[in-house]
Amino acid sequence: MQPTRHLITIAIIWAMVGFAASLWEPLAPIWLWGGGVAAVFILVDIVAGFLQKLPTVERTLPGRFAIGIEQMVPVKLHNPGAMSLRVQCYDGLPGDAVSGELPWTGRLPARGHAAVKYPVTISERGLKDFAPAHLRIFSPLRLWTRNCRSGENQTTRVYPNYEPVLRYALLAMANRAEQMGIVKKNRTGMSREFHQLRDYQLGDQLSKIDWKSTSKRLSLISRDYQEQRDQTVILAVDCGRRMRALDGGVPQFDHCLNAMLLLAYTALRQGDHVGIIGIGGSDRWLPPVKGVQSMTTILNHLYDYETSTSPSDFSEAAERLMTRQRRRALVVMLSNIRGEDGHQLIEPLRMIRRRHVTILANLQEESVTKRIETPAAALDDALEVGATAIYLEERAKVLGELRAHGIFTVDSLAKELPIALANAYLGAREMV
């Protein structure tokens, strides 16, 4: 049991009266009488506090959280005792969780309960543990408090922020994906997958005429083709130390995950298979899955991906990828390369390019872009701008060499990467 502010205030007042009684003797009886009465109430209150039955806590966690997205957590506090209780409750949140409405303070009716909902925002992905709640129970006269913990340890999953995927889904249902900047290109007839027969139209190529049907109908009949389905897209995400850098307060790695989710959703809607492989300190592999319902599988696979302090070994990653994906596919590698990575990166990507259509999605650092656009007002500023220009020139040189070897490249800021990557996928898909 711990004293409250009320008990400390009573003790201070009694001490002040005692000091005054030492200076003026007529106050001594009042001091003694008041102290005796206060002691009785204090003792009765502490005994009553010990006899109070402890409340219990039931927490209902949402099925999933998304980083940076506020979620409501319902909590029910039960009072099994015959007296009402005044309680202060602070739930056992994970270390990276924030709630602006805790601790909750209120009264629990006798043999009743109180239902509480509080908002929680979690800033990191992965498995998160909610510990038992911390309770502070006030004695009947609120002179003492008793601390205890109640409830269960519960675990929940925190996923990447897939809001862009949901927004795209809603727009796609209304055939308005172009509002997000995703350009759907019409490539009918390029993939040679037969769709249907139709009447000949002026301008149709002779190779599209179905002569057998034409001879039966005695009129020209053309074959209609559609984009080939059942292709495979492999997302290779760099989990090395370069991806730990912050961009807009969020690690670049999380920006990549958001872009991967939108690309995965786009590919699944196109009827393609989507697989995922981790490179740079990670040996994770998700075999290709198909169907929009497979987004749940992809989310469950990606939610606990973490970066490491290891450098990215692109040669080893290329060998693993070639071993696990032998059928021709579209490989999308997401990383943050620099000029010095050229000799380590170009040859592995060339090896992948021999079998697969390859896209390298490279993240630009927003701070670097801002620095090159800021006017130089002093010598130090000019030196920084010059070094930044050299840095960007070396990166552009590596990307140019990759393009010369037939590798598609996307060089984009983190906030623009999801849309740029989706457009690159739609542009390269006909090459698979």
Side-chain angles (χ1 to χ4, degrees):
M1 300 290 281
Q2 296 178 340
T4 65
R5 290 181 299 175
H6 299 294
L7 181 56
I8 294 173
T9 301
I10 292 172
I12 291 174
I13 293 174
W14 185 70
M16 293 175 63
V17 173
F19 177 73
S22 66
L23 300 178
W24 189 39
E25 189 173 348
L27 287 178
I30 299 176
W31 175 69
L32 292 173
W33 180 83
V37 173
V40 171
F41 278 98
I42 291 171
L43 290 175
V44 170
D45 194 44
I46 194 172
V47 170
F50 271 118
L51 294 177
Q52 288 176 328
K53 292 185 178 181
L54 298 179
T56 59
V57 176
E58 294 180 6
R59 180 198 308 115
T60 304
L61 286 180
R64 62 185 62 179
F65 285 84
I67 57 173
I69 302 299
E70 186 177 273
Q71 286 273 75
M72 301 301 295
V73 176
V75 173
K76 184 177 288 187
L77 294 88
H78 296 269
N79 176 18
M83 296 179 58
S84 64
L85 297 177
R86 184 171 179 80
V87 175
Q88 190 175 74
C89 174
Y90 192 93
D91 206 358
L93 303 179
D96 58 327
V98 176
S99 177
E101 297 185 11
L102 290 179
W104 174 85
T105 302
R107 184 167 291 278
L108 302 181
R111 294 189 176 88
H113 69 273
V116 180
K117 281 187 177 181
Y118 63 89
V120 176
T121 304
I122 303 180
S123 58
E124 295 180 3
R125 291 175 293 100
L127 285 175
K128 299 298 176 182
D129 294 323
F130 279 71
H134 299 262
L135 296 179
R136 175 176 292 174
I137 306 164
F138 291 85
S139 61
L141 298 180
R142 300 177 63 181
L143 301 178
W144 302 93
T145 61
R146 185 179 179 183
N147 296 331
C148 69
R149 302 193 69 174
S150 180
E152 298 179 352
N153 282 301
Q154 293 178 283
T155 302
T156 188
R157 294 178 176 183
V158 182
Y159 291 86
N161 179 11
Y162 44 88
E163 181 186 1
V165 177
L166 298 180
R167 283 198 295 126
Y168 174 70
L170 294 175
L171 290 171
M173 289 168 57
N175 295 320
R176 292 184 287 117
E178 65 276 5
Q179 292 187 15
M180 290 187 67
I182 297 178
V183 180
K184 292 186 175 181
K185 300 183 178 180
N186 184 10
R187 298 186 297 275
T188 302
M190 295 296 293
S191 63
R192 309 304 298 171
E193 180 174 310
F194 177 74
H195 177 50
Q196 63 183 3
L197 294 175
R198 59 171 174 79
D199 292 334
Y200 175 84
Q201 296 177 1
L202 186 63
D204 284 351
Q205 299 176 4
L206 291 178
S207 60
K208 295 177 62 176
I209 297 178
D210 188 297
W211 295 106
K212 185 176 181 179
S213 300
T214 297
S215 64
K216 291 180 179 179
R217 292 280 302 274
L218 300 180
S219 62
L220 292 176
I221 302 297
S222 294
R223 297 188 188 96
D224 201 6
Y225 298 93
Q226 65 179 3
E227 294 181 30
Q228 184 180 346
R229 291 178 175 267
D230 295 328
Q231 302 182 58
T232 301
V233 180
I234 302 297
L235 304 178
V237 58
D238 187 354
C239 304
R241 61 190 180 193
R242 291 262 176 92
M243 306 301 290
R244 300 167 72 93
L246 296 179
D247 197 329
V250 178
Q252 286 191 330
F253 185 71
D254 285 291
H255 287 297
C256 281
L257 292 186
N258 292 340
M260 289 170 63
L261 289 173
L262 178 57
L263 178 55
Y265 184 83
T266 304
L268 292 174
R269 281 185 59 87
Q270 294 287 328
D272 292 343
H273 294 74
V274 176
I276 299 172
I277 188 171
I279 62 177
S282 174
D283 193 21
R284 303 281 295 275
W285 166 248
L286 175 67
V289 294
K290 184 182 180 183
V292 177
Q293 70 278 3
S294 298
M295 278 302 299
T296 301
T297 303
I298 292 174
L299 282 169
N300 288 331
H301 179 77
L302 282 177
Y303 84 96
D304 59 348
Y305 263 53
E306 297 293 346
T307 54
S308 69
T309 56
S310 304
S312 301
D313 189 340
F314 296 104
S315 297
E316 186 269 341
E319 292 176 0
R320 284 197 293 118
L321 176 60
M322 298 290 282
T323 301
R324 288 174 169 170
Q325 182 61 35
R326 298 184 178 277
R327 180 186 173 189
R328 182 172 174 82
L330 171 61
V331 175
V332 181
M333 182 177 292
L334 298 95
S335 184
N336 178 9
I337 67 166
R338 299 178 182 177
E340 61 266 26
D341 296 328
H343 66 284
Q344 302 174 1
L345 180 66
I346 293 177
E347 190 56 37
L349 287 184
R350 285 185 62 191
M351 181 172 68
I352 296 174
R353 175 66 183 87
R354 293 189 188 104
R355 182 184 300 172
H356 308 293
V357 177
T358 308
I359 299 177
L360 173 67
N362 187 42
L363 276 174
Q364 298 179 9
E365 295 97 339
E366 187 175 6
S367 58
V368 175
T369 304
K370 288 182 177 180
R371 188 67 198 91
I372 199 69
E373 295 174 352
T374 303
L379 177 61
D380 290 343
D381 295 337
L383 293 175
E384 286 185 11
V385 171
T388 303
I390 295 174
Y391 170 79
L392 294 177
E393 183 180 351
E394 292 175 348
R395 280 172 47 126
K397 182 178 179 181
V398 174
L399 295 177
E401 291 184 31
L402 292 174
R403 286 191 290 270
H405 291 297
I407 298 167
F408 295 93
T409 62
V410 175
D411 193 29
S412 173
L413 292 172
K415 61 185 178 181
E416 301 169 355
L417 181 63
I419 304 303
L421 195 55
N423 282 328
Y425 155 75
L426 294 174
R429 188 170 178 269
E430 66 184 50
M431 304 294 294
V432 180

